[in-house]
Amino acid sequence: MIPASFDYQVANDVAHAIQLLASSGGEGKVLAGGQSLIPLMKFRLAQPGFLVDINRVSGLSAIRENGELRIGALIREADLEANPIVRQRYPIIADTAAVVADPLVRNLATLGGNLAHADPANDHPATMLALRATNGERVIPIDEFFVDTFTTALASDEILIQIRIPKPAARSGGAYLKLERKVGDFAIAGVAAAVTLDERGRISAASIGLTNVGPTAIRAQRAEKLLFGQSADDKTLAAAGAAAAAESQPVSDLRGPADYKRDMVRVLTQRALRKAIARATGGA
Ligand SMILES: Cc1cc2nc3c(=O)[nH]c(=O)nc-3n(C[C@H](O)[C@H](O)[C@H](O)COP(=O)(O)OP(=O)(O)OC[C@H]3O[C@@H](n4cnc5c(N)ncnc54)[C@H](O)[C@@H]3O)c2cc1C
């Protein structure tokens, strides 16, 4: 398939990119890794009149931890997965990057593109919900970022520059689990769980994000509330799994009937919580 014709310009820096977008009269789209945008254009499901390529803007791919974790929006999935800070201190993010598509896609696709695309089947939105992330200059809390399917709170002339993740408290852990039909596919369902335990091993904070079981990535807030103050035993995790399943809003499609997906949310929530708790207590 061949995309409709479009104009194309390379941005030199962030200010230039914003200026190009602003001058496009709403026709402009950021081009990052192109792994979602180009296929949509080839199928003519998107027909932007103007692409602003941000791939040569320097300084947008850094990862720094200083009070909080700051990840440049242009970081490629492969670099995110291999980053030592991410692997050692935020393994939930490495879990997530590792199950996005396949190595070819991961060499190009960016974290910013994954979030800005706002496909409920994308894997990072649930993880960023669980990690309570915000973004760069105009700070948009993650709960307000995903407005609807393929729609975020970013204005048409705004660029996602940075993702900011609060530093985890002591005895914190997180994990992302995804069920897929085959390696490289979008999720049938995915669950991101992050927990903090108190000194007695009770759950003092929990956040849960769900992938591809709603119009956007969604937070399982009733499940989170159920976990608060509880000991991390099988009964508690089973109750949280059931609550998350009840909060999910899957639809039947080629990846399975809605009831099956709901039950997978139940199972994956328990497993992701178990893994997050193991990591919070020093396990892998
Ligand atoms: C074969 C295949 C399999 C895939 N499987 C998965 C999967 O399993 N899980 C998954 O999560 N994804 C999957 N994807 C989708 C893709 O990997 C992600 O959506 C990807 O991360 C998009 O990033 P990108 O940099 O390529 O974005 P692009 O395609 O360049 O852009 C996507 C959208 O985001 C906007 N955008 C990009 N960067 C910014 C920015 N910094 N600021 C503002 N707007 C921006 C663009 O304008 C566009 O609307 C798959 C894709 C392919 C081709």
Side-chain angles (χ1 to χ4, degrees), residues 120-121 123 178-182 185-190 211-214 250-251 253-257 260-262 264-265 268:
D123 291 296
K178 167 179 178 176
L179 178 67
E180 54 196 345
R181 293 177 304 172
K182 59 182 173 58
D185 194 15
F186 288 98
I188 296 167
T211 299
N212 217 10
V213 287
V251 292
D253 60 16
L254 78 172
R255 291 192 174 80
Y260 164 67
K261 295 181 184 180
R262 207 171 285 114
M264 290 305 99
V265 169
L268 290 172

Side-chain angles (χ1 to χ4, degrees), residues 140-163:
I140 306 175
I142 193 73
D143 288 335
E144 292 163 26
F145 189 79
F146 305 109
V147 174
D148 204 345
T149 305
F150 300 124
T151 308
T152 68
L154 288 172
S156 62
D157 60 352
E158 260 186 314
I159 296 178
L160 179 56
I161 290 176
Q162 199 176 59
I163 296 93

Side-chain angles (χ1 to χ4, degrees), residues 2-246:
I2 298 172
S5 68
F6 57 89
D7 291 327
Y8 168 89
Q9 208 159 335
V10 175
N12 306 321
D13 52 36
V14 172
H16 187 211
I18 291 168
Q19 180 217 321
L20 289 170
L21 286 171
S23 66
S24 74
E27 276 295 296
K29 273 258 167 213
V30 170
L31 175 69
Q35 296 305 293
S36 288
L37 185 56
I38 300 293
L40 280 182
M41 288 171 67
K42 286 185 171 177
F43 285 114
R44 302 214 176 186
L45 294 169
Q47 298 195 16
F50 181 40
L51 291 191
V52 177
D53 187 336
I54 60 167
N55 283 281
R56 285 185 224 163
V57 175
S58 61
L60 286 189
S61 312
I63 296 191
R64 287 197 192 91
E65 196 192 31
N66 182 13
E68 63 184 358
L69 181 68
R70 293 184 171 215
I71 308 178
L74 203 57
I75 188 142
R76 314 285 163 183
E77 297 289 351
D79 296 331
L80 194 55
E81 189 189 347
N83 182 274
I85 298 174
V86 168
R87 292 186 78 82
Q88 283 158 29
R89 309 224 339 109
Y90 303 84
I92 183 174
I93 300 175
D95 288 351
T96 311
V99 294
V100 170
D102 52 56
L104 289 179
V105 171
R106 291 202 289 273
N107 283 337
L108 288 167
T110 65
L111 175 61
N114 198 289
L115 297 171
H117 189 49
D119 185 341
N122 277 1
D123 291 296
H124 283 290
T127 294
M128 293 304 154
L129 281 169
L131 289 173
R132 318 303 304 129
T134 53
N135 66 332
E137 305 285 306
R138 174 169 86 96
V139 175
I140 306 175
I142 193 73
D143 288 335
E144 292 163 26
F145 189 79
F146 305 109
V147 174
D148 204 345
T149 305
F150 300 124
T151 308
T152 68
L154 288 172
S156 62
D157 60 352
E158 260 186 314
I159 296 178
L160 179 56
I161 290 176
Q162 199 176 59
I163 296 93
R164 293 156 63 168
I165 294 164
K167 198 170 181 179
R171 292 179 297 278
S172 293
Y176 182 71
L177 294 181
K178 167 179 178 176
L179 178 67
E180 54 196 345
R181 293 177 304 172
K182 59 182 173 58
V183 171
D185 194 15
F186 288 98
I188 296 167
V191 176
V195 297
T196 303
L197 306 178
D198 67 16
E199 280 156 7
R200 292 179 304 158
R202 290 183 187 274
I203 299 167
S204 56
S207 43
I208 299 172
L210 307 179
T211 299
N212 217 10
V213 287
T216 64
I218 50 180
R219 252 181 97 187
Q221 285 181 296
R222 284 202 295 278
E224 292 172 2
K225 282 199 186 105
L226 261 173
L227 289 163
F228 183 73
Q230 301 298 314
S231 61
D233 55 30
D234 286 351
K235 196 172 152 213
T236 303
L237 301 195

